[in-house]
Amino acid sequence: MVVTQLQLELCFRGKKLRGFTCKLTRSPHGFLPETSFSIVSQLFVPFFLAGLGLVVAGLLMEVVHHWEVFKTITEVFILVPALLGLKGNLEMTLASRLSTAANTGQMDDPHEQWKMATCNLALIQTQATVVGLLAAVVAVLFKAVAKGYVELNQAAMLCASSVTTAFIAALSLGLVMIGVIVGARKVGINPDNVATPIAASLGDLITLSLLAGISSTLFKYMDVSYLSPVICAVFIVMIPLWVAIAKQSPPIAEVLKSGWQPVIVAMTISSIGGLILNKTVTKPDFEGMAVFTPVINGVGGNLVAIQASRISTFLHFWSMPGVLPYKMRQHWPNPCTTFFTSGVNSKSARVLILLVIPGHLVFLYTVHVLQGGHISLTFSFVSFYLIAALLQVGILLYVADLIVRLMWRKGLDPDNFSIPYLTALGDLLGTGLLALCFLLVWAINGPQMKPGN
């Protein structure tokens, strides 16, 4: 089926028509109505691959949180959700932005494809450098408030570790995302369904590996007082270069001006989740938090990013910013509208929430087989964990429907503004609900709770 869209703009002077512009967009692939089966068939493999990547990231977290740098400078734990959240702030936003462009035919021309790729990469390098530095500053401030002092060498090491990790992770994942979206478009797969899960499958593992390796290396050379400040200075000096490249595309230049608030607010929200992790991960009652935190946070952020990207693509295809299409005319839909109508977005919300329990059961079993964590998978723990995961994803999908509509009504592009808030909220909800699960399990089982390995 070929979809042809006619965009007509009329120019009036007074009450008289003085001119008009007409733009005809013909999409060879079209915006086809998707069945639940087609959504599941495209989501299934990327979603479970993403989950396995999150499991490996959790197992890695279980190992590295015993390293000397994590024991000595516990503020590194605060960086973990903030830097892993960059996947939602930057890579998933990039994936959503490029998926929308691909689905609406804006990347069919090779020249435009190259320009969009380079400008988007420059944008996320700028954002990664700034947000990585701010995440470290927030972690240092948390420590200053808690302990009443700041150790400058540790603060410099945190800043250098954070900005280096953010920069390298953003560059590598950005290149992967561009390749995936271009490839998906060529083979006729909806990029909205596959780009964000693949970002999730690689994002946490790559970012956590980089953070652990870089922070440990800089910790060993912390006596070299000038090393960390020089590293920070090099990345800061490169910012004007990335800004100059990003400004070559007017839409990206606009994001460069207006897209900072959601990214910075999301980083702050994720840092609060990091504070919870910092306070719980080293306590005996919360053994296993390290391995399960990336899993529950990653799955929730993954699913809500898919939904937000799909809704945004739908709005871009059928409406203009500032005006909701007829099928989404409600400004503040209730949960029944989000989950139980016949619309394509409601259908995808049902599919995504139905993936939660089987997905998490597979991931929990994988953790159990690989001997991750220090808590047995008792019936009570698995029950509380699944309830927490369902509650997290249900809240996120409903909030996604509200936020995307709100952004669109205000004339803001949901691809740039909604996903950072949603993934950060997913981190905070996931970490908080997981900590509550451990408290409830400990209250029920107490001393009878046995280690899992």
Side-chain angles (χ1 to χ4, degrees), residues 386-400:
L386 293 177
I387 291 171
L390 272 175
L391 187 60
Q392 176 207 32
V393 173
I395 292 172
L396 289 174
L397 292 177
Y398 177 58
V399 173

Side-chain angles (χ1 to χ4, degrees), residues 70 74-78 273-282:
F70 285 85
T74 58
E75 289 72 30
V76 178
F77 286 115
I78 300 176
L275 191 60
I276 297 173
L277 183 64
N278 183 33
K279 297 296 183 183
T280 56
V281 73
T282 56

Side-chain angles (χ1 to χ4, degrees), residues 152-340:
L152 292 179
N153 58 342
Q154 292 188 4
M157 193 278 289
L158 279 174
C159 291
S161 300
S162 181
V163 72
T164 306
T165 300
F167 184 91
I168 298 174
L171 178 61
S172 55
L173 289 170
L175 290 171
V176 171
M177 283 302 92
I178 291 170
V180 167
I181 290 166
V182 172
R185 180 66 174 170
K186 287 184 177 179
V187 299
I189 295 175
N190 186 349
D192 284 325
N193 292 336
V194 297
T196 49
I198 291 175
S201 66
L202 298 173
D204 285 359
L205 182 59
I206 291 174
T207 305
L208 190 56
S209 301
L210 287 169
L211 177 62
I214 292 169
S215 61
S216 294
T217 302
L218 292 177
F219 180 73
K220 291 178 183 177
Y221 294 97
M222 201 158 57
D223 293 336
V224 184
S225 58
Y226 62 84
L227 180 60
S228 294
V230 167
I231 291 173
C232 293
V234 168
F235 285 111
I236 292 172
V237 167
M238 292 173 66
I239 289 177
L241 172 63
W242 307 127
V243 171
I245 296 173
K247 283 186 173 180
Q248 292 180 6
S249 169
I252 301 303
E254 182 60 32
V255 176
L256 194 61
K257 293 178 182 178
S258 61
W260 290 101
Q261 180 183 341
V263 173
I264 293 173
V265 172
M267 179 273 298
T268 307
I269 295 172
S270 294
S271 295
I272 298 173
L275 191 60
I276 297 173
L277 183 64
N278 183 33
K279 297 296 183 183
T280 56
V281 73
T282 56
K283 294 184 178 180
D285 296 341
F286 294 88
E287 289 283 359
M289 272 287 290
V291 72
F292 292 120
T293 298
V295 178
I296 192 170
N297 289 354
V299 170
N302 185 7
L303 294 177
V304 76
I306 293 172
Q307 181 69 355
S309 181
R310 292 177 60 88
I311 298 173
S312 178
T313 298
F314 182 88
L315 289 171
H316 276 282
F317 203 88
W318 294 114
S319 183
M320 299 294 291
V323 181
L324 290 172
Y326 179 76
K327 292 182 180 180
M328 295 180 65
R329 61 190 179 277
Q330 288 180 277
H331 287 187
W332 303 103
N334 57 52
C336 292
T337 303
T338 301
F339 292 103
F340 301 111

Side-chain angles (χ1 to χ4, degrees), residues 47-67:
F47 172 71
F48 280 97
L49 285 177
L52 294 177
L54 295 170
V55 168
V56 175
L59 294 173
L60 177 63
M61 181 70 179
E62 179 66 19
V63 172
V64 301
H65 91 278
H66 295 294
W67 288 8

